[in-house]
Amino acid sequence: MPVVNAEKLITLQRNPDNIRNDHGKTSLTDALIATNGIISPKLAGKIRYLDSRPDEQLRGITMESSAISLFFSMLRRASPSPSPSLSSSSRSLSTLEGPTLAAPVQKDFLINLIDSPGHIDFSSEVSTASRLCDGALVLVDAVEGVCSQTVTVLRQTWVERLKPLLVINKIDRLISELKMSSSEAYVHLSKLLEQVNAVIGGFFQGERMEEDLAWREKVEERVAKRAEREKGEVDEGDGGQFEEKDDEDLYFAPEKNNVVFSSAVDGWAFTVRQFAGLYERKLGMKRAVLEKVLWGDFYLEPKTTRVLGAKHLKGRALKPMFVQLVLDNVWAVYEATTGGSKGRGDPTMVEKITQSLSLTIPPHILRSRDPRALLIAVFSAWLPLSTAVLVSVVEYLPSPPAAQFSRLPVLLDASPGSGQISQTIRDAMVNFRTSKNYPVIAYISKMVAVRSSELPQNKRKEGATLTADEARDLARRKRAEITQANRLTAESETNDIKGVAEALDGTNLEDDELQEQVPEDPEHLIGFARLYSGTLSVGDSVYVLPPKFTPATPHAAPKPQQVVVTGLYLMMGRGLESLVSVPAGCVFGIAGLEGHILKSGTLSSQLEGSVSLAGVSMGAQPIVRVALEPINPSDLDQMINGMRLLEQSDPCAQYEVLESGEHVILTAGELHLERCLKDLRERFARCEIQAGEPIVPYRESIISAAEMAAPREKELPRGTVVGVTTSKQLTVRLKVRPLPTEVTEFLEKNVDAIRKLYAERKARDEGRQTSGIADMELADHGDPDQAFPKTNLLSLAKFRTKLNDTFAQATPHSDIWANVVEEIAAFGPRRVGPNLLIDKTRSGACQKFLQEIDDSHLKEDDAAPSSLSPRNFSDNISYAFQLATAQGPLCHEPVQGVAVFLEDVTIAAPSDETHTTNEQLGRLTGETIKTVRDSIRQGFLDWSPRLLLAMYSCEIQASTEVLGRVYAVITRRRGRIVSESLKEGTPFFTVLSVLPVAESFGFSDEIRKRTSGAASPQLVFHGFEMLDEDPFWVPFTEDELEDLGELADRENVAKRYMDGVRVRKGLAVRGRKLVRDAEKQKTLKR
């Protein structure tokens, strides 16, 4: 196998039309890497070359995305034939296709391949890789079919506008495990293809409905404006017709050359186009015709070799052409080599197959007793995996110029401040300008931690001579090793004290210097990047744009920093190769960004009119929090620095410090947490770290239950509280009620719209706040790495209309929610949450959030008031509402689904009139916040409180034999089965369930142990679900007391969860016994 050197790959970077950027899976990638001579073809699929971490090799899964650049050569005929003859560096198919019309022309291609993880915990790695690529190899298991991770990957390709290439892998399992015939396998593969296309169709239909709705709204707005201007009616057809998009090119179809059938473990793959070339001369048909009829309900008449449709069969039992010409031949190879269902191969059949296909198999393999070696040898000579996949990649996936021309306009229009983007930058990115005269725009998807010894400048090239300093250092280390070995040998032979004393006397300072340990290998952060325009060279100065950068305010805080590129690298899997410059369209590594980019960012050579590409939507949000502390307290600074390094190098992990002083790391799941802890201990912090119990988030809410305790204030309605400040100067009357479920769901779905409305209102109110409380920023403007703002966010009028419609659907107590939308004063917590503060006061104490601002009203507020009025306390009341909803009364977790009606604010005339209004307001600020916050919490507890648990959606594929054990484990962990379905043609059941995150730790290991590895779950965060149990419930009726007793023998699960959180946060726990059996001292160990 010829070895491709790095200089050849660097040369190919200058030809963008022959570059392909895509990402695939590890076993498949091994076969592609083998074509470049990096690994042996015999080890392909076994060595997992791109799994460079030891824990990846141990577990057999990919945890980090890694990139490699591959060389591929093709021979193209200069003829009008749509399908050229093909060849790769490993095997040529031109001999199987007959004579060519003209001499083939060789074309060299550079393929930048990114191997991404398949586990749901590391789906953020897939998200970061998708922005760098132009196409994607989507692998689907032929037996398991479409699972949750398949849908996630397809959704990512749809959002990022990548061109997907479907690879149906593990077809060998249909033969070896399921014992299917070729006809049964064809039916199974057809259904699998329909399932994948159904997912793509769902994405298209959802986008089409959104575009249709936006078009209708624009037409209505245009008609309304013209009607107002002309004072008459206008025909609605004036807006034009809605343009329907053609979805024909979106779906996977083998005849379109976008489906590859493969078995990576056996090293073979093929496409319909490949077999059409094989049968072109034999059947006397054009290749283009064969490509269209080899898949589908087309049949070959044996006598006339005519292609028949299903209507012309006339009762004849013919096999589809795909079965007869393709699958039967593949099945025959398995029967001849491994025996298939017979269990024993047939050497005579192998000889016939090799002769008919003109294959040359080495004699030692033919004599081998290992049938798999013969199987792999036949397939690697007949249908090599690398040829089918790489040819499909080159022919179907777009080059960087074509991909950027189709993808980037959508991404640029969705970026913040898209209207202010410079036309020069837009032209350079969309039209793929590579000259150094054009601006440089690069996207950094993530930061990769690389040890200092692995950098190219610190590696000694093979064959290079040592310098004098390197030779002296090497000799010093060798002498230290020899001295240490001699000392250990002498000590092992001397067992008495005298020998030990002599050994100690023999030590001196020089030996100690020789024994000094090798210095630690520090970690460096390298940016994983893609260049979209211009040419980037070492030494260039570029700006690092933060994720929230907008071209409208390019110099706004945080101000973009200017850095110097200190190094450029070609990503080669486990190694790096130094580069001098990089042209547009390439995937590369960049040094010099350490400390300037947290997770992702954009590099630009200019600030004015630039664009921020950062902010890819992550597939898995961090939900599991764990507090860490070093075993040795002196290593605290070392651990903190390590956690900061980890946060920069991991696209999903987050680091924060709680108010209690705990250092907390947020991860996507249990496996992700294990990997982060391993990296902290061994790479980043390099100290012993102990982890506490996982911190799981909860939510608090209230409902109107059938059995509730009587209101605390019998004279007032339920939930109504009258709060009086300590100085008796302010009295606040408010009422707490549970929000309708539909309204809560609507608010949760439109968080981005609320955030946008709040930002607009804040911009208009800038400089008008008179109270210091209003300057306190509680708004959650999103994660720094959040996705691009949605382009279809609701405007103020539309949001108000839809919220009104949602309230109208709340059938019970509809009179209470009438005209509520106009009186909303704030959302909470963090001003965007699913809770409402509603101003019902006569004087309008709070400013209405969903109403247009009245300038005259603002001028009145700006004037210095002569006396206090309820409106002076508007900001205080709103801030207290934010505090009360951010920390609920149960266990200080966020509240959702609660409406607070502010009914009255009364101000008592102060006896001391010497103080000015501002002084009186300042004294009452703290009292007002405390009183309103406590009143909201008291009204909350007047209803039946509930905890909302964070839930995982769990998908498990299990056979009938272990199905009962799977159910037992799910039930024991308080899970709930949602559905169970049998996959047609397989003995596997797909079980969908929901499981509390608090009960999920150790769940995967327990499932694997109970089922002996036959079932493995996929856990995806599903949201929050209410636990229908009052944490304060105690038996009080005669029947309950008789059944359960006064101590309530039945465990209150909600109280257990609540008490656990209160203990962790240091809050008082009701009914907790700190001392038991106080009359006698007891030892717990006894």
Side-chain angles (χ1 to χ4, degrees):
M1 189 65 60
V3 179
V4 180
N5 55 23
E7 287 73 13
K8 178 68 174 177
L9 301 176
I10 296 172
T11 304
L12 288 175
Q13 288 184 339
R14 304 295 172 182
N15 189 1
D17 290 329
N18 289 1
I19 296 177
R20 300 295 184 273
N21 300 315
D22 63 333
H23 62 98
K25 298 299 294 178
T26 310
S27 299
L28 185 77
T29 304
D30 273 4
L32 308 183
I33 294 174
T35 63
N36 280 224
I38 299 175
I39 62 174
S40 169
K42 297 180 181 179
L43 298 177
K46 302 174 184 177
I47 193 173
R48 301 198 306 276
Y49 180 78
L50 291 184
D51 286 351
S52 56
R53 296 170 55 96
D55 49 353
E56 289 180 328
Q57 293 286 341
L58 182 64
R59 291 179 177 268
I61 62 174
T62 305
M63 298 184 183
E64 288 183 350
S65 58
S66 51
I68 191 168
S69 297
L70 300 177
F71 166 78
F72 181 62
S73 179
M74 287 182 63
L75 293 178
R76 288 186 177 272
R77 289 200 306 261
S79 67
S81 175
S83 302
S85 61
L86 312 171
S87 74
S88 70
S89 55
S90 62
R91 178 62 55 185
S92 175
L93 293 180
S94 59
T95 58
L96 300 175
E97 300 191 6
T100 58
L101 298 177
V105 179
Q106 180 173 343
K107 283 196 172 184
D108 298 336
F109 292 88
L110 173 66
I111 298 177
N112 295 317
L113 189 66
I114 301 177
D115 178 33
S116 53
H119 196 281
I120 196 69
D121 277 9
F122 308 107
S123 57
S124 58
E125 296 280 351
V126 181
S127 304
T128 56
S130 62
R131 183 58 60 86
L132 304 178
C133 301
D134 301 319
L137 292 175
V138 180
L139 268 72
V140 178
D141 193 312
V143 176
E144 296 180 0
V146 177
C147 57
S148 58
Q149 183 65 0
T150 310
V151 178
T152 303
V153 171
L154 289 174
R155 181 181 292 110
Q156 193 66 39
T157 61
W158 179 269
V159 171
E160 292 293 331
R161 308 292 176 182
L162 301 181
K163 200 167 187 180
L165 180 65
L166 181 65
V167 180
I168 302 179
N169 196 25
K170 300 185 182 180
I171 296 182
D172 59 288
R173 294 182 64 189
L174 302 179
I175 306 173
S176 58
E177 294 183 18
L178 303 184
K179 310 296 182 184
M180 285 185 177
S181 65
S182 55
S183 300
E184 293 171 342
Y186 170 69
V187 175
H188 180 79
L189 293 174
S190 301
K191 292 181 178 179
L192 176 58
L193 199 58
E194 290 176 1
Q195 293 174 3
V196 178
N197 284 331
V199 176
I200 297 292
F203 298 152
F204 172 78
Q205 190 65 22
E207 186 175 276
R208 191 257 178 211
M209 292 176 64
E210 289 182 358
E211 292 177 352
D212 182 42
L213 180 62
W215 174 80
R216 291 180 183 276
E217 291 175 348
K218 287 182 180 179
V219 170
E220 292 175 358
E221 289 179 0
R222 189 181 300 115
V223 170
K225 289 180 180 178
R226 185 166 299 181
E228 289 180 1
R229 186 169 60 251
E230 299 178 0
K231 302 296 182 181
E233 296 185 358
V234 181
D235 183 16
E236 292 190 5
D238 186 54
Q241 296 294 326
F242 177 69
E243 295 182 4
E244 291 284 355
K245 288 186 177 180
D246 184 15
D247 61 340
E248 184 179 356
D249 296 334
L250 299 177
Y251 301 112
F252 297 108
E255 62 268 19
K256 295 179 182 177
N257 197 34
N258 60 0
V259 179
V260 180
F261 304 90
S262 75
S263 170
V265 69
D266 291 339
W268 60 266
F270 64 87
T271 61
V272 166
R273 176 173 293 183
Q274 193 171 345
F275 268 92
L278 294 175
Y279 286 106
E280 179 182 8
R281 186 174 56 178
K282 184 176 181 180
L283 296 178
M285 297 183 187
K286 293 183 178 180
R287 178 182 294 188
V289 176
L290 270 176
E291 289 177 5
K292 295 179 180 179
V293 299
L294 265 182
W295 177 268
D297 294 332
F298 297 99
Y299 305 85
L300 185 67
E301 192 174 19
K303 296 181 180 179
T304 61
T305 64
R306 289 193 318 165
V307 178
L308 304 177
K311 298 179 180 179
H312 304 286
L313 283 180
K314 297 179 181 179
R316 287 178 290 181
L318 297 180
K319 293 181 179 179
M321 291 182 65
F322 189 76
V323 177
Q324 182 181 355
L325 302 180
V326 180
L327 293 185
D328 279 351
N329 294 329
V330 175
W331 259 243
V333 173
Y334 274 91
E335 290 281 349
T337 54
T338 62
S341 58
K342 298 178 182 178
R344 186 175 182 180
D346 187 353
T348 307
M349 183 64 70
V350 172
E351 185 178 355
K352 289 182 179 179
I353 291 174
T354 54
Q355 289 178 357
S356 63
L357 295 175
S358 301
L359 304 179
T360 303
I361 307 299
H364 71 277
I365 294 181
L366 291 173
R367 295 191 301 266
S368 174
R369 294 184 178 182
D370 184 9
R372 283 194 52 79
L374 180 59
L375 172 73
I376 294 174
V378 172
F379 272 124
S380 62
W382 179 36
L383 300 173
L385 174 69
S386 57
T387 299
V389 174
L390 292 179
V391 167
S392 298
V393 165
V394 168
E395 292 190 340
Y396 183 73
L397 298 184
S399 63
Q404 290 189 195
F405 186 79
S406 60
R407 285 182 64 204
L408 286 188
V410 180
L411 296 179
L412 291 177
D413 291 340
S415 64
S418 57
Q420 305 293 327
I421 298 177
S422 169
Q423 189 60 35
T424 305
I425 290 181
R426 184 182 289 269
D427 174 71
M429 295 178 67
V430 174
N431 296 322
F432 198 79
R433 310 297 185 184
T434 59
S435 172
K436 290 188 70 70
N437 298 327
Y438 285 91
V440 171
I441 300 293
Y443 170 65
I444 311 296
S445 70
K446 69 171 186 174
M447 302 297 288
V448 182
V450 180
R451 288 186 172 89
S452 179
S453 59
E454 296 177 358
L455 294 176
Q457 58 266 30
N458 297 333
K459 282 186 176 181
R460 185 172 61 89
K461 293 185 177 180
E462 296 182 3
T465 58
L466 293 174
T467 62
D469 292 337
E470 291 175 342
R472 280 193 292 270
D473 186 56
L474 179 62
R476 188 182 298 110
R477 287 200 300 268
K478 290 294 183 182
R479 286 197 300 271
E481 293 174 1
I482 294 172
T483 304
Q484 180 71 7
N486 293 337
R487 182 180 297 107
L488 293 175
T489 303
E491 290 180 358
S492 62
E493 294 176 353
T494 307
N495 297 326
D496 55 356
I497 300 178
K498 181 179 179 181
V500 176
E502 291 176 356
L504 292 173
D505 292 339
T507 59
N508 51 41
L509 294 177
E510 293 182 1
D511 291 340
D512 292 339
E513 293 179 359
L514 295 176
Q515 295 177 38
E516 64 182 355
Q517 296 181 352
V518 179
E520 291 185 352
D521 196 5
E523 298 278 349
H524 293 274
L525 293 177
I526 304 296
F528 195 17
R530 159 77 182 265
L531 190 62
Y532 285 98
S533 67
T535 299
L536 188 63
S537 304
V538 176
D540 287 353
S541 179
V542 292
Y543 290 97
V544 178
L545 308 183
K548 295 181 182 178
F549 173 85
T550 172
T553 54
H555 299 282
K559 190 174 182 180
Q561 299 177 349
Q562 195 168 12
V563 298
V564 177
V565 178
T566 59
L568 296 172
Y569 305 105
L570 180 69
M571 312 290 280
M572 292 298 294
R574 302 184 181 185
L576 301 171
E577 295 289 341
S578 294
L579 299 174
V580 177
S581 63
V582 175
C586 293
V587 177
F588 61 98
I590 179 172
L593 306 179
E594 194 167 350
H596 299 283
I597 289 183
L598 178 60
K599 291 184 180 294
S600 63
T602 307
L603 301 183
S604 177
S605 56
Q606 68 180 51
L607 277 183
E608 285 73 15
S610 190
V611 59
S612 174
L613 297 174
V616 179
S617 57
M618 295 297 173
Q621 297 298 327
I623 188 66
V624 178
R625 296 185 296 172
V626 174
L628 306 180
E629 64 178 5
I631 294 180
N632 186 356
S634 62
D635 294 334
L636 180 60
D637 292 338
Q638 198 171 341
M639 185 194 77
I640 293 175
N641 293 332
M643 293 178 76
R644 288 173 179 162
L645 272 175
L646 175 67
E647 185 182 22
Q648 294 181 59
S649 63
D650 193 301
C652 189
Q654 296 179 14
Y655 162 61
E656 63 181 22
V657 181
L658 301 183
E659 295 178 356
S660 58
E662 294 176 294
H663 298 274
V664 172
I665 183 172
L666 284 80
T667 60
E670 190 176 6
L671 184 59
H672 187 210
L673 173 63
E674 290 181 20
R675 194 198 76 179
C676 290
L677 291 177
K678 181 179 177 64
D679 285 347
L680 273 176
R681 293 185 180 115
E682 298 178 1
R683 298 177 59 187
F684 300 123
R686 297 189 181 185
C687 63
E688 288 299 319
I689 297 174
Q690 61 182 5
E693 291 294 324
I695 304 172
V696 179
Y698 295 89
R699 296 289 183 268
E700 302 180 18
S701 187
I702 53 176
I703 64 170
S704 178
E707 297 179 356
M708 291 189 294
R712 297 190 179 183
E713 299 291 338
K714 296 182 180 180
E715 301 82 7
L716 300 175
R718 184 180 295 276
T720 303
V721 179
V722 177
V724 183
T725 59
T726 309
S727 61
K728 311 295 184 183
Q729 292 187 16
L730 185 68
T731 303
V732 178
R733 178 188 172 106
L734 53 84
K735 185 176 183 179
V736 178
R737 290 192 64 90
L739 269 177
T741 307
E742 300 87 354
V743 178
T744 305
E745 294 175 355
F746 175 81
L747 296 178
E748 288 178 336
K749 291 178 182 178
N750 292 277
V751 169
D752 292 328
I754 300 173
R755 182 179 291 116
K756 174 189 171 186
L757 296 177
Y758 174 75
E760 292 175 353
R761 181 167 294 275
K762 180 183 175 184
R764 284 182 291 182
D765 291 349
E766 195 70 32
R768 297 186 184 275
Q769 291 91 343
T770 57
S771 172
I773 299 299
D775 294 333
M776 298 184 180
E777 289 296 333
L778 286 172
D780 181 18
H781 294 289
D783 186 75
D785 301 306
Q786 66 178 355
F788 286 147
K790 298 179 181 177
T791 55
N792 56 348
L793 292 180
L794 300 176
S795 63
L796 176 60
K798 294 176 183 176
F799 180 83
R800 192 164 49 195
T801 302
K802 292 198 172 186
L803 186 56
N804 260 322
D805 297 340
T806 309
F807 270 114
Q809 298 174 6
T811 49
H813 310 291
S814 57
D815 55 331
I816 298 176
W817 308 109
N819 301 323
V820 160
V821 175
E822 303 297 330
E823 298 169 339
I824 294 176
F827 298 87
R830 299 189 174 186
R831 303 198 188 276
V832 293
N835 303 286
L836 299 179
L837 175 62
I838 301 167
D839 184 9
K840 286 283 187 178
T841 59
R842 296 179 180 178
S843 58
C846 299
Q847 182 180 342
K848 306 302 186 293
F849 185 82
L850 298 180
Q851 286 185 359
E852 297 295 337
I853 299 178
D854 187 1
D855 291 339
S856 60
H857 179 65
L858 290 173
K859 290 178 182 179
E860 293 176 3
D861 289 346
D862 291 341
S866 58
S867 61
L868 290 177
S869 66
R871 182 167 287 275
N872 295 121
F873 298 96
S874 172
D875 294 331
N876 300 346
I877 295 173
S878 177
Y879 183 65
F881 169 74
Q882 303 297 333
L883 292 180
T885 52
Q887 293 184 339
L890 298 183
C891 49
H892 283 196
E893 291 290 316
V895 175
Q896 75 175 41
V898 172
V900 178
F901 292 85
L902 184 63
E903 296 182 345
D904 188 30
V905 178
T906 306
I907 303 174
S911 57
D912 186 9
E913 297 183 357
T914 59
H915 297 284
T916 63
T917 303
N918 289 335
E919 292 176 348
Q920 296 175 17
L921 185 61
R923 287 192 309 170
L924 289 175
T925 293
E927 295 182 12
T928 305
I929 293 174
K930 180 179 181 300
T931 301
V932 175
R933 183 196 63 188
D934 294 345
S935 299
I936 294 175
R937 291 179 176 176
Q938 184 179 340
F940 182 99
L941 296 175
D942 225 5
W943 298 85
S944 184
R946 292 289 187 271
L947 277 180
L948 281 82
L949 309 182
M951 304 296 286
Y952 274 137
S953 174
C954 176
E955 179 179 328
I956 303 176
Q957 289 197 353
S959 59
T960 313
E961 293 79 11
V962 299
L963 199 59
R965 302 173 193 172
V966 170
Y967 275 38
V969 176
I970 293 175
T971 306
R972 185 165 53 252
R973 290 179 175 266
R974 300 189 59 79
R976 188 182 77 256
I977 305 296
V978 176
S979 67
E980 170 196 309
S981 59
L982 176 65
K983 280 189 170 292
E984 294 185 20
T986 70
F988 296 104
F989 283 86
T990 300
V991 180
L992 293 178
S993 62
V994 289
L995 185 77
V997 176
E999 305 287 349
S1000 67
F1001 301 101
F1003 174 73
S1004 300
D1005 291 338
E1006 186 178 0
I1007 283 282
R1008 282 191 286 266
K1009 289 178 182 177
R1010 295 285 182 179
T1011 61
S1012 301
S1016 182
Q1018 288 273 7
L1019 299 175
V1020 185
F1021 181 62
H1022 182 62
F1024 290 89
E1025 187 174 293
M1026 184 174 293
L1027 177 62
D1028 194 13
E1029 193 171 2
D1030 191 338
F1032 299 117
W1033 179 86
V1034 291
F1036 62 91
T1037 65
E1038 294 184 2
D1039 294 339
E1040 291 172 347
L1041 289 171
E1042 183 177 351
D1043 293 340
L1044 304 174
E1046 293 182 0
L1047 297 178
D1049 296 335
R1050 185 184 67 185
E1051 181 189 21
N1052 190 331
V1053 180
K1055 183 174 180 4
R1056 172 162 61 86
Y1057 288 144
M1058 182 184 72
D1059 290 347
V1061 178
R1062 293 186 71 89
V1063 169
R1064 176 174 58 81
K1065 293 184 176 182
L1067 304 174
V1069 178
R1070 182 187 300 180
R1072 184 186 180 195
K1073 291 186 177 181
L1074 299 178
V1075 178
R1076 181 176 295 177
D1077 300 322
E1079 68 278 1
K1080 181 178 180 181
Q1081 182 178 359
K1082 288 190 174 183
T1083 303
L1084 294 179
K1085 292 183 180 180
R1086 295 180 184 175

